[in-house]
Amino acid sequence: MARIVRLSSLSISNIKNVRNGRIIMPNTSRKQLSYKNAEVLGLYGQNGSGKTAVIDTLYYLQSIMIGKEIEAEIADYIDANSDQAEIAVDFNIFAEDVIYEAGYRVVLRRSERGAEIFRETLSCAVNKGTSRSNKTVFMDYYRLDKDNIFVPKKRLDEIVEANAENKTDLIVARKMAERSNCSYIFGESSREIFCRNYDNNFKHYAEVIKALFKFALTDLFVIRNTHSGVISANFLLPMAFKVEQNEKGMKGDFAIPLTKPVVLDEERKRLLDTIVEQINMVLFTIIPGMKISVHDYGVQMLDSGENGYRVELVSLRENMPPIPIRMESEGIIKIISILNALIQAFGNPSICLAIDKLDAGIFEYMLGELLDIFNHNAKGQLIFTSHNLRALEMLDKDSIMFSTTNPDRRYIRMKNVKASNNLRDTYLRGITLGGQDEVIYEETDSLRIARAFRKAGRAIQHE
C-alpha cells in the first residue's frame, strides 16, 4: 500500500499572540491509531485569539518541510517579546506492515536575514504487530554545534556505514542548508542522502523522511486568509488544485484573473480544463444547476512566439447565456476556489486541508451541510477556522477546539459535554457563565462600547 500520512497534533510557541498552544486531531483525542475515517477539526474563538496563527503556522511548516528558503516575513510572526519561536508537529505514517509515530520539531530564531532555523529534530516510534518501540529522537540538528553534523552519532554511523562518502556529502549539505537558510533535514542536498535505500536500521528513518516530505509537497493544502482576500477584492480567483497528469501529480494554486481574459499556453490550458471538469462534478449539486466553463476567445501569440489561448472563466446556468465568473457572488467564487481541494480531501485519506475563515461568504446552512457530509463520508482531514457557529450544531465535541484568553494555553476542548448536548449552546453558556478550564471570551461591556461610540460621534461632529 502507498504510505498514508495523518497529522496528529500541532504545538506552537511564541507565534503571533500564542505563547503556547496545542491542537489535537479527533482520532488522537480519541486515542485511535487509524486513517479509515475523516477527521474534521474546527477552531472557534473571539477575534484575535490565535485561530489564524494555526493556519499560518501550517503554511510556514509546509514551506520548511519541502526544503524551501525561510521567508524573511516569518520573523514578523515571532512574538515581539521573544527572539525565537517553536513549532512541534506529530504525524502517524501508515505503511504496509508498520505504523510510524513521527514527531518533527523546529526552532526559529531572529537573524539578520529575518529568521533562521536554529534547531530541528525528528523522532520516531515504530508500531509493528503488537509491539511498539519507544519514541526516540533519531535526528537532531543544532546550528551552534559545529562539532557534529547531527546527533545521535549512532544514526550518522548507519548512514556512513552504507557509503563512506556520505559523511563528506552531509557536511557539505549542512553548509549549503545554512547558507540557503533552509531546513537541514528536508533541504534538497541532505534529503537526497537521507532518503536513499538503506539495508541497515536507518531504513525506517529514511521511510519517515520520505513520507513527511511527500506529504508536505503533495498532500498538505493550506488556504490562508490572503487566498480569500484577492477574491474579496474582485481581483483573482485562485483555485487550489491537485491533479494527476501524465503519471505525474501537480498541485498548487491556479490563479485566474477576474478582471479580464488571460492568455495560457497549451499545457496550462489543458490543466485548467481538467480542474474545471473536476469542480463541475460537484459544483452543480452545491449551487443547483450551476457549472463553470472555460470560454475560449481564440488563439493569441505568447511572448515566446508560441500559440496561446485567450480564455476567461464563465458560469453556466440553465436557459441563461454564460456570464463572467466575476459577476457571481463572493460566496460562490470562494466555493469554486476551494472545491478541487475539498474533492481531494474527500477521496484521499492522506490529504490534509487547512482553511482559514471557511465561513467567509458561505451561507451558514450550506456550511453546516458541507461539514456534516465531509465528517460522515470523506477520507481525509479538514482543519478550518470560522466564526459561524452552525458547525457546532453539526460536529461532535472531538471535532471542535476553542481558543482561550490565556496565551499560555490557547486551545482547549469543551469539558462536561454529553452526546445529547448542543455544543453551540454549551459554548455560548461558557462565554457568559464560564465553567471551563480556561476563560474562552474576554469580557466586553456593552454599556462602555455604546458610551465610546457616542463620545466618538460627538467628537467627529465638533471637528
Side-chain angles (χ1 to χ4, degrees):
M1 63 177 262
R3 289 183 296 264
I4 293 168
V5 179
R6 298 295 284 257
L7 182 70
S8 171
S9 69
L10 173 71
S11 300
I12 56 181
S13 300
N14 294 330
I15 292 180
K16 296 181 79 170
N17 61 354
V18 182
R19 280 205 293 266
N20 283 291
R22 185 173 185 232
I23 65 161
I24 303 169
M25 296 303 290
N27 281 357
T28 304
S29 178
R30 293 187 286 255
K31 295 181 169 56
Q32 294 176 352
L33 199 59
S34 172
Y35 65 88
K36 296 188 176 179
N37 63 296
E39 289 183 273
V40 178
L41 183 65
L43 299 173
Y44 279 79
Q46 71 185 113
N47 294 330
S49 60
K51 301 183 302 298
T52 294
V54 171
I55 307 300
D56 287 339
T57 298
L58 285 170
Y59 169 79
Y60 287 113
L61 179 72
Q62 178 182 41
S63 179
I64 291 168
M65 289 177 62
I66 61 176
K68 289 178 67 175
E69 180 182 348
I70 302 295
E71 295 180 40
E73 69 175 39
I74 199 172
D76 298 330
Y77 285 77
I78 298 175
D79 188 308
N81 294 317
S82 178
D83 286 330
Q84 63 183 44
E86 182 176 317
I87 304 168
V89 59
D90 290 317
F91 301 93
N92 295 323
I93 303 169
F94 301 86
E96 189 72 46
D97 60 348
V98 65
I99 302 171
Y100 302 105
E101 295 175 51
Y104 176 58
R105 171 176 164 261
V106 58
V107 179
L108 298 164
R109 184 178 65 170
R110 295 186 195 277
S111 72
E112 294 175 355
R113 293 185 283 186
E116 64 187 13
I117 292 179
F118 186 56
R119 190 168 194 168
E120 55 181 337
T121 65
L122 267 176
S123 57
C124 179
V126 181
N127 294 268
K128 196 164 187 177
T130 57
S131 67
R132 179 188 184 275
S133 68
N134 291 328
K135 193 171 188 179
T136 56
V137 172
F138 68 88
M139 197 166 286
D140 184 347
Y141 159 77
Y142 182 36
R143 193 179 186 94
L144 297 184
D145 184 1
K146 302 300 183 183
D147 296 329
N148 295 291
I149 305 171
F150 69 84
V151 294
K153 185 174 180 299
K154 184 177 180 181
R155 302 284 87 93
L156 176 62
D157 290 344
E158 288 167 354
I159 296 174
V160 176
E161 177 187 296
N163 185 341
E165 293 180 5
N166 284 346
K167 186 169 185 177
T168 303
D169 292 343
L170 285 173
I171 293 171
V172 173
R174 174 170 166 148
K175 290 179 179 177
M176 290 175 66
E178 291 175 355
R179 192 177 301 122
S180 303
N181 203 20
C182 70
S183 163
Y184 175 60
I185 294 175
F186 293 104
E188 184 178 1
S189 299
S190 42
R191 186 183 71 243
E192 186 274 325
I193 301 166
F194 296 145
C195 293
R196 290 172 183 167
N197 294 321
Y198 291 92
D199 294 327
N200 56 26
N201 195 50
F202 197 80
K203 65 183 178 183
H204 288 298
Y205 308 120
E207 287 296 309
V208 167
I209 297 172
K210 279 182 202 173
L212 294 182
F213 171 72
K214 179 182 179 297
F215 171 78
L217 184 67
T218 68
D219 294 337
L220 176 59
F221 286 83
V222 183
I223 298 177
R224 302 169 75 195
N225 195 35
T226 50
H227 188 99
S228 299
V230 292
I231 294 174
S232 300
N234 207 28
F235 175 57
L236 278 177
L237 167 52
M239 290 182 286
F241 76 93
K242 179 182 178 183
V243 299
E244 303 294 329
Q245 276 194 342
N246 304 324
E247 301 180 0
K248 286 167 59 179
M250 297 182 67
K251 169 181 169 281
D253 266 352
F254 198 115
I256 289 289
L258 289 171
T259 54
K260 60 183 179 181
V262 63
V263 181
L264 304 175
D265 62 29
E266 188 171 350
E267 184 179 356
R268 286 185 63 76
K269 168 70 163 54
R270 277 200 307 269
L271 176 59
L272 180 59
D273 288 338
T274 302
I275 295 168
V276 167
E277 182 182 353
Q278 291 179 355
I279 287 174
N280 279 334
M281 289 174 157
V282 177
L283 181 62
F284 77 98
T285 64
I286 297 176
I287 317 255
M290 178 182 171
K291 290 193 174 185
I292 58 175
S293 177
V294 180
H295 185 76
D296 192 343
Y297 288 100
V299 175
Q300 181 172 319
M301 188 173 291
L302 298 165
D303 292 343
S304 63
E306 299 177 14
N307 283 339
Y309 299 86
R310 189 166 177 263
V311 300
E312 185 172 23
L313 214 55
V314 297
S315 68
L316 304 172
R317 298 176 190 263
E318 290 182 22
N319 303 318
M320 290 183 65
I323 63 169
I325 200 70
R326 65 176 176 273
M327 302 307 295
E328 294 289 356
S329 72
E330 182 182 331
I332 287 177
I333 297 175
K334 170 74 178 280
I335 289 172
I336 291 169
S337 76
I338 65 174
L339 196 49
N340 187 275
L342 271 172
I343 291 168
Q344 297 298 328
F346 194 91
N348 186 336
S350 199
I351 297 286
C352 179
L353 171 59
I355 306 176
D356 197 15
K357 296 180 175 57
L358 175 60
D359 58 326
I362 299 179
F363 182 49
E364 75 164 345
Y365 185 81
M366 173 56 66
L367 175 68
E369 293 302 297
L370 284 174
L371 290 171
D372 186 53
I373 291 165
F374 194 98
N375 194 37
H376 286 98
N377 300 284
K379 295 180 179 179
Q381 295 179 301
L382 173 64
I383 302 169
F384 69 93
T385 73
S386 174
H387 289 291
N388 190 308
L389 302 184
R390 170 71 173 158
L392 305 191
E393 300 174 331
M394 306 303 291
L395 300 172
D396 61 45
K397 64 183 178 66
D398 289 329
S399 293
I400 301 289
M401 292 193 75
F402 298 92
S403 55
T404 75
T405 63
N406 182 0
D408 286 306
R409 193 187 176 197
R410 269 297 180 199
Y411 313 106
I412 62 169
R413 279 186 168 83
M414 284 281 168
K415 67 176 186 178
N416 303 323
V417 180
K418 298 176 182 176
S420 58
N421 290 151
N422 182 316
L423 191 56
R424 176 180 181 143
D425 292 343
T426 304
Y427 178 48
L428 293 174
R429 190 162 57 248
I431 288 175
T432 55
L433 301 177
Q436 297 298 320
D437 290 339
E438 297 286 347
V439 177
I440 55 176
Y441 187 80
E442 192 166 347
E443 194 69 33
T444 51
D445 186 327
S446 57
L447 291 176
R448 288 187 65 193
I449 294 171
R451 196 179 305 122
F453 268 111
R454 284 196 297 271
K455 185 176 179 181
R458 287 195 298 267
I460 291 170
Q461 289 172 0
H462 288 100
E463 282 184 357

